[in-house]
Amino acid sequence: MIDRLLIQNFGIISCAELCFSKGLVVLTGETGAGKSMIIEALSLLLGQTASQDCIKKGQDMAFIEGAFQANQKLIPREFHDLIQDQGKLVISRKIYPNSRANIIRANGETFSLKQLKYLMSDLITLVGQHHHLKLMKESQQRAFIDAQADASFQNVLYQYRQDYSEYQNLQAQRHHIQTTTQEAHQKLEFLSFQIEDIRQHQFKAEEDEHLNKNKQQLKRQDKLGSLLYKLNQQISSINSMAQEAQYQLQQSLDQQDLSLTGIQDMLNDITLNTEAKLELIIQKQQSLEALEDLDIETIESRLDLIFRYKQKYKVSSLPALLGHLEELKQQKQGLEQHQEKDKALEEKLSLLKNSLKKSSFTLHQYRQQASHDLAQHLERCLAQLYFGYVKVQFNCTLHPHHYHEHGADRIEWLASTNAGEPHKPLKDLASGGELSRMMLAIHSITSDLSQPPTYVYDEIDTGVGGLAANAIGQYLKKLAESKQVLCVTHLAQIASYAETHIQVEKSYQGEETQFQVKCLNSDEKRQELKRMLGGERMMKTLDSP
């Protein structure tokens, strides 16, 4: 609940401090006195955007501060540490001509406007002069029905929302995949073409280097072959001569001087060296023979192919071309997995659709019963609020496969306020006064179920008078038994039920407007009620036969 509200340099208000109590608190005063300005100031502490025009003329800053009692259960978990001292919460706002300089604090900590709105969302319900128009919104009508349902309904709704959230996420993923499917398919075909285009030629990493060597060898093949042949003949001759000399020396070594053994070693070395050289020459000759199956045109054609493919795929070497081939294979694999993921998502979505279908039907059954009970309860309440005739009906229609955050139901509140007339949507039926009473009836029904401990009504009596106004006062009084209720009113019938009556007055001193608020005692309250009824003379007129 709200305990205190301090307003400085706001609109026509220089300085005003209001203290509130539990129960029903009314604010009264002449039209234009500034009652709604107090509600506007309070709304800024709930997270509404401030206008630069709200700063009193001639002042540099407007200041608003409110002291609240906050039940920690109604505070978002991330702000629990903020509320420590018996649930006390002090919100202040400093508003400057330059909105960037505005300051918001909660218990001394700086807050953003978004944080403030989130913090205060479940503490106060503010019903403005045209707030009853929200009754026409389907979302509001659904919320009233859902508030009547039991814990089993809430459990089903929680699970449904979990599934629906996942369903939306998977749908977004699949939509992204499907929007790129044609492009991905075309890219996959192109990748397959490139991979096959490169792979068909069976390039090897250093193939061009080997081809260039072979090309050079082919150019000097005849000359080299002739040279190798001559070398083979000459070294073979040397080898034969060395072997023959070695043999002759071996035969005569016993009869000759033993000092000739050095010559024998030399002949052995010559034999071994020439044999090694011959083996090398023979290998070279065999290499040349292997080249006989190639021709210079075949090699140059292959080198030209390699060059063109390096140019085609913008690489500088065959290893780079082969590396590009591996990259293409990986891209293709990724796209194929992309398509497989689409199939997996489709299967998951199918399972979630079945789950959503079952749970949305269960929610529909709960809502049908809850809407029937709410309609009957509303009819009884509205009769007490002086609806001469009223029939209420909530159409709860299931739309399979048209899922939203709350299920698959479409809700429409219909009513008939004249016997014999068909049920019609509220927007085609009710006046402002009727909608105000319907709003109050809804709040009185849901007050035990809804969380906000404080209701603020800014002229809920619009379009209402007489006995209906008295009934509204009684309902506000009843609502105030379990909630704090603040109400701006012009009707004495409503104000007479208040535990706390605050009078708002506006006066003039020269060119300056003076704003005053006063908490009335019982005698002052009676005088204000007389004023609201038209003064003493009007009271006597009403009392006269």
Side-chain angles (χ1 to χ4, degrees), residues 325-372:
L325 175 61
E326 292 304 314
E327 290 178 4
L328 294 175
K329 290 179 180 178
Q330 291 176 4
Q331 290 181 34
K332 180 183 178 184
Q333 184 180 10
L335 287 174
E336 290 171 343
Q337 290 174 349
H338 197 65
Q339 291 181 335
E340 291 174 2
K341 184 178 180 181
D342 182 44
K343 293 179 182 178
L345 285 175
E346 186 177 6
E347 293 175 1
K348 288 182 180 180
L349 282 169
S350 178
L351 292 174
L352 279 173
K353 277 184 180 179
N354 290 333
S355 178
L356 291 174
K357 181 179 179 180
K358 292 177 182 178
S359 54
S360 62
F361 180 71
T362 303
L363 292 174
H364 172 69
Q365 291 178 309
Y366 276 115
R367 286 193 176 113
Q368 280 189 314
Q369 183 60 50
S371 62
H372 176 74

Side-chain angles (χ1 to χ4, degrees), residues 211 218 293-304:
L211 287 172
L218 277 174
D293 295 333
L294 298 175
D295 61 74
I296 195 74
E297 293 182 359
T298 302
I299 292 175
E300 288 183 342
S301 175
R302 181 69 173 180
L303 286 170
D304 181 63

Side-chain angles (χ1 to χ4, degrees), residues 416-476:
S416 173
T417 55
N418 295 296
E421 290 291 324
H423 288 77
K424 297 178 182 178
L426 292 189
K427 63 183 178 64
D428 300 331
L429 175 74
S431 66
E434 289 172 328
L435 288 173
S436 295
R437 283 179 283 167
M438 287 181 177
M439 172 73 79
L440 184 58
I442 281 287
H443 283 171
S444 68
I445 292 170
T446 60
S447 62
D448 293 335
L449 302 171
S450 59
Q451 291 183 342
T454 299
Y455 283 95
V456 180
Y457 293 99
D458 186 9
E459 299 187 11
I460 194 174
D461 52 18
T462 302
V464 178
L467 294 175
N470 188 65
I472 288 177
Q474 291 177 343
Y475 260 76
L476 289 172

